[in-house]
Amino acid sequence: MSKREWSRRDVLRQCLAVGAIIVPAGWGEAEVLHAWFDAQAALQPTAHVEMGPFYKKRAPSTTKLRAAADPGMPLTVRGRVITTNGESVGGAKLEIWQANHGGLYDLEGFHYRAALSVPPTGVYAFESVMPGHYPARVARHVHYFVTAAGQTPLSTQLYFSTDEVFGGDPDKNYSKDPLITSRTLVRPVTLAGQPESATASVEFELVMEKA
Ligand SMILES: [Fe+2]
């Protein structure tokens, strides 16, 4: 048994001894170790979703995708790029693209397209608007393509729990869009401000898998 596992067991014994953790009757150390440590040992990599036809290379390096006069609800997206062990992936390159409020992609230029360099903390954020619906897709979404040294490139999409297509119940309805490969990609939306000028924010963590 490795030193790390002994250390976890020691911590667990101490927690049990002082009542810092309370477990169901009948559980032994093995059950608690499994429930508490093993279950947290590895995060699931973020689900893959296809890149689709609207990706463009050489997007500008900016965190501000939204111009001041743009229609649509202002949207801030924040998150971290991490490994399945929860370590920050500093130096990751994060490419994002989305339709505008009216559901249109900018195919001529780079509006609502950006490339972000992720700092050592793994934290990223950008300012945009809530993307519109467009005919070929069911759900509103933001595309991501994330690359980093030593990690498998990740193509995925962010969805919004408030999207009309989920009818208020994304648990039940997320697969109404056949491209949504995992419920975990549909994120809660936090509204702030006044009703007539509300802004939305969403957290979206990106978990990369070792190459
Ligand atoms: Fe799309």
Side-chain angles (χ1 to χ4, degrees):
M1 193 174 278
S2 75
K3 212 172 173 183
R4 188 170 175 192
E5 282 164 321
W6 277 117
S7 153
R8 284 176 168 181
R9 195 174 288 270
D10 291 344
V11 168
L12 177 65
R13 281 186 181 146
Q14 181 62 19
C15 287
L16 287 166
V18 301
I21 188 167
I22 298 158
V23 301
W27 280 28
E29 269 180 24
E31 285 76 16
V32 187
L33 271 172
H34 177 73
W36 187 249
F37 290 112
D38 294 353
Q40 297 182 12
L43 300 165
Q44 285 297 311
T46 299
H48 167 91
V49 186
E50 66 178 53
M51 288 180 76
F54 299 123
Y55 171 72
K56 275 176 77 173
K57 284 184 177 164
R58 290 181 284 281
S61 170
T62 179
T63 58
K64 194 117 182 132
L65 284 70
R66 172 173 65 91
D70 282 359
M73 179 178 280
L75 167 71
T76 302
V77 182
R78 293 187 189 86
R80 276 180 72 210
V81 185
I82 56 176
T83 65
T84 50
N85 294 323
E87 292 153 356
S88 304
V89 184
K93 184 183 172 197
L94 202 156
E95 293 174 87
I96 43 184
W97 65 105
Q98 66 167 82
N100 67 10
H101 170 65
L104 295 173
Y105 282 92
D106 184 359
L107 302 177
E108 307 298 318
F110 290 93
H111 202 181
Y112 295 113
R113 298 173 182 275
L116 314 183
S117 292
V118 177
T121 56
V123 173
Y124 78 90
F126 62 90
E127 303 282 331
S128 188
V129 296
M130 186 63 77
H133 285 116
Y134 62 90
R137 279 300 302 278
V138 178
R140 301 168 188 269
H141 58 280
V142 177
H143 292 265
Y144 282 70
F145 184 56
V146 193
T147 48
Q151 308 293 329
T152 304
L154 169 65
S155 168
T156 192
Q157 299 179 14
L158 158 66
Y159 304 93
F160 305 91
S161 59
T162 48
D163 196 321
E164 305 89 294
V165 300
F166 302 133
D169 190 351
D171 284 343
K172 191 170 143 210
N173 296 325
Y174 77 90
S175 57
K176 284 203 169 169
D177 186 326
L179 286 190
I180 301 182
T181 51
S182 167
R183 165 68 180 88
T184 58
L185 300 176
V186 185
R187 312 299 304 162
V189 175
T190 303
L191 292 183
Q194 300 302 314
E196 64 281 3
S197 58
T199 60
S201 61
V202 171
E203 302 254 343
F204 188 43
E205 192 167 79
L206 298 154
V207 184
M208 301 192 82
E209 212 169 0
K210 255 198 167 45

